[in-house]
Amino acid sequence: MYGVKVVTTAAAAVLMMAYAGPMPALADTIEAALVRAYQNNPQLNAQRAQVRSTDENVPQALSGYRPKVALTASAGYQYTDVNSTQGGTPTAVLHTPIHGADAPRSAGLTVTQTLYNGQQTANRTRAAESQVSGAREALRVLEQTVLLSAATIYMDYLRDAAIVEVQKSNVRVLEQTLKQTRDRFNVGEVTRTDVAQSEAQLAAGRTQELTAESNLTTTRSNFRRIIGNEPQALAPGSPVDRYLPGTLPAAVDLSLVENPNVTAAMYGIDVNFLQVKIAEGALLPTVSLQASVQQSYEQTMTTFSSFGASAIAQLSVPIYQGGAEYSLIRQSKETLAQQRLNLETTRDQTRANAVTAWGQLVAGKAQVASAQAQVQASEIALNGVREEAKAGQRTTLDVLNAQQTLVNARVALVTAQHDRVVASYSVLSTIGRLSPQVLNLQTTTYDPSVHYQQVRDSWVGVRTPDGR
């Protein structure tokens, strides 16, 4: 009777996923999964396109320093019939008729250069550059989110696959236990109650197995969505403690400096401060220089051609424009104050997230050790209950309960190992260092400054740097 081995070799190998030895060369690794998510995640690629779009704010702002050139041309047909008079008395009146058709045409070129506009162009340029920096930090936020999601779903699949193996092993044990209980019932060693208890436990075990398989199917779908491929032959995942600071205060300090949510909020303050300066610049004078040339032909019947050129400096001083510009200044100041408060909120939330993630990491380490001890104790207890049952000191229900306790302990160990690894990635994300560079991922890192330098000083052209 009760001499059944409970854990299959495959299940035991998966259970120790965080502490396993070298895997086959063809096994997929968590690092490779992170690379695929970093390269192919559509949400991340869309955010990169958003950063490239934000880069164009800088050349748009710089256009305020550049001249504006306009070429005008006209051509057409006109008919003139004029009867002019000259002289002071009726006897001296001279009638001069002018009539006929001509083709008036002209071409002109106008160049306008702003010389001073209350530093609005300079402030718009600095604001655009801060927007670019803020967009890059938003990209870092999403990069960390995607990498954390990828690491989490990778570990989720390992956990759920291990739980399926545990439940399958449990069902096999319960099936053999039921068979042996029925054999003992047939020879009168146990009662019908023992058989019913074994049948009930087997039915419950099969339900747990089906639930575990359902959870694994859902995880497999999410793995495909986040990482981009079906999970196959996953190697064990390991914590990234080597990249973490040694203490909680150090982790909190790093998060307040390097977390991209904090830095993005700081760039937001710069943008809003410069928006106040831009709004105030609307109250200052504007100085511009306009130069133009124009060549005309047959504008009138009496003039065959004419040429004109001019260079004019213009000064415009706003006196009162209805009060809208004053309202805009006040509104910009309130927005700046709001952004400063948002920075404090972001810092408080980041600090809380760092403390929470660190606490989960510390708890995860302890939970793994506790779960391992629980599994070992449960195995010893189950073996002892089986031996006592052979001597008639324990019932079938005692054996079934001990078996279920061991299954629960193994599931708890799998879950604790999963939580331990995920918590380390979560802390790395909270302090702002969950990146391909820190993790030493074998991939080309996306550099947003490349596109920025390509378009910053572009004066003309409609093609994007990638040829579109």
Side-chain angles (χ1 to χ4, degrees):
M1 168 58 177
Y2 310 111
V4 184
K5 284 188 69 67
V6 180
V7 185
T8 65
T9 303
V14 180
L15 280 171
M16 301 307 296
M17 54 190 172
Y19 307 94
M23 296 296 291
L26 296 180
D28 194 8
T29 64
I30 190 171
E31 291 79 12
L34 293 179
V35 167
R36 291 195 299 276
Y38 180 79
Q39 293 176 341
N40 304 322
N41 186 275
Q43 186 181 8
L44 187 54
N45 286 328
Q47 188 66 28
R48 289 166 180 159
Q50 176 63 40
V51 174
R52 293 193 295 271
S53 174
T54 305
D55 289 343
E56 296 291 349
N57 290 344
V58 176
Q60 290 171 21
L62 287 172
S63 67
Y65 287 120
R66 300 165 186 162
K68 294 177 175 59
V69 183
L71 176 65
T72 59
S74 66
Y77 170 85
Q78 70 179 5
Y79 175 80
T80 304
D81 192 350
V82 177
N83 191 8
S84 64
T85 61
Q86 295 179 355
T89 64
T91 59
V93 172
L94 177 63
H95 296 277
T96 305
I98 301 175
H99 60 85
D102 61 344
R105 54 200 183 277
S106 66
L109 183 69
T110 302
V111 179
T112 304
Q113 175 66 59
T114 301
L115 303 179
Y116 178 77
N117 62 354
Q119 296 297 321
Q120 291 185 73
T121 299
N123 289 324
R124 286 193 180 100
T125 301
R126 287 194 287 268
E129 290 170 343
S130 294
Q131 288 172 344
V132 169
S133 299
R136 292 178 183 177
E137 294 306 298
L139 176 60
R140 283 186 59 214
V141 171
L142 189 57
E143 283 179 351
Q144 294 202 144
T145 300
V146 169
L147 290 176
L148 179 59
S149 298
T152 301
I153 197 64
Y154 188 96
M155 297 306 301
D156 286 351
Y157 188 84
L158 286 176
R159 177 199 61 195
D160 293 346
I163 291 176
V164 167
E165 289 299 321
V166 169
Q167 297 299 346
K168 285 182 177 180
S169 175
N170 181 47
V171 168
R172 288 192 293 269
V173 170
L174 292 175
E175 287 175 343
Q176 192 165 353
T177 299
L178 176 59
K179 180 180 179 300
Q180 294 175 348
T181 303
R182 285 172 174 169
D183 292 341
R184 296 186 69 199
F185 173 73
N186 291 334
V187 297
E189 292 183 6
V190 296
T191 66
R192 178 60 186 166
T193 300
D194 296 293
V195 175
Q197 289 171 341
S198 298
E199 290 174 342
Q201 195 73 4
L202 175 59
R206 286 171 174 165
T207 298
Q208 293 170 351
E209 179 186 0
L210 292 173
T211 301
E213 290 177 345
S214 175
N215 293 337
L216 183 61
T217 299
T218 301
T219 303
R220 181 182 293 109
S221 176
N222 289 329
F223 190 101
R224 174 69 177 81
R225 175 179 60 85
I226 296 173
I227 296 180
N229 67 289
E230 295 293 333
Q232 293 180 349
L234 301 188
S238 59
V240 288
D241 294 357
R242 58 191 179 279
Y243 304 123
L244 300 179
T247 62
L248 174 58
V252 171
D253 292 341
L254 277 175
S255 68
L256 296 178
V257 175
E258 298 188 17
N259 188 289
N261 287 300
V262 175
T263 52
M266 295 173 67
Y267 284 121
I269 291 178
D270 294 340
V271 172
N272 284 277
F273 174 78
L274 291 167
Q275 289 296 335
V276 174
K277 295 301 181 182
I278 294 170
E280 291 174 343
L283 300 177
L284 299 176
T286 300
V287 180
S288 62
L289 177 65
Q290 185 179 80
S292 62
V293 295
Q294 183 164 353
Q295 177 69 53
S296 303
Y297 296 93
E298 298 186 59
Q299 297 297 310
T300 67
M301 292 292 294
T302 59
T303 305
F304 174 73
S305 68
S306 64
F307 174 81
S310 65
I312 302 173
Q314 295 180 332
L315 172 65
S316 175
V317 181
I319 302 300
Y320 185 72
Q321 307 296 323
E325 64 274 24
Y326 299 103
S327 176
L328 183 59
I329 292 173
R330 296 193 300 269
Q331 183 182 51
S332 300
K333 289 181 177 180
E334 293 294 347
T335 303
L336 174 60
Q338 178 191 19
Q339 186 62 37
R340 285 171 173 162
L341 294 173
N342 288 340
L343 173 59
E344 294 305 314
T345 301
T346 302
R347 283 174 171 165
D348 290 341
Q349 185 62 56
T350 300
R351 183 183 293 106
N353 291 342
V355 173
T356 300
W358 189 272
Q360 291 173 344
L361 177 61
V362 173
K365 294 177 182 178
Q367 288 168 356
V368 169
S370 176
Q372 289 173 332
Q374 182 183 3
V375 169
Q376 294 173 357
S378 297
E379 289 175 345
I380 295 173
L382 177 58
N383 292 331
V385 170
R386 283 175 176 160
E387 294 300 323
E388 292 171 359
K390 289 180 182 179
Q393 298 176 348
R394 293 282 186 169
T395 65
T396 300
L397 181 59
D398 293 330
V399 176
L400 294 174
N401 288 339
Q403 165 67 18
Q404 186 60 47
T405 299
L406 178 58
V407 169
N408 293 341
R410 287 184 173 129
V411 170
L413 175 58
V414 170
T415 303
Q417 291 171 337
H418 161 276
D419 295 345
R420 165 77 174 86
V421 176
V422 172
S424 67
Y425 277 91
S426 181
V427 173
L428 195 62
S429 174
T430 302
I431 65 176
R433 291 189 173 180
L434 183 56
S435 65
Q437 298 93 326
V438 173
L439 296 175
N440 295 319
L441 299 182
Q442 300 302 311
T443 181
T444 301
T445 303
Y446 180 80
D447 185 1
S449 65
V450 173
H451 178 270
Y452 174 79
Q453 295 298 334
Q454 289 172 333
V455 302
R456 185 184 190 279
D457 296 315
S458 178
W459 283 50
V460 295
V462 296
R463 286 186 178 274
T464 58
D466 61 2
R468 288 179 289 112

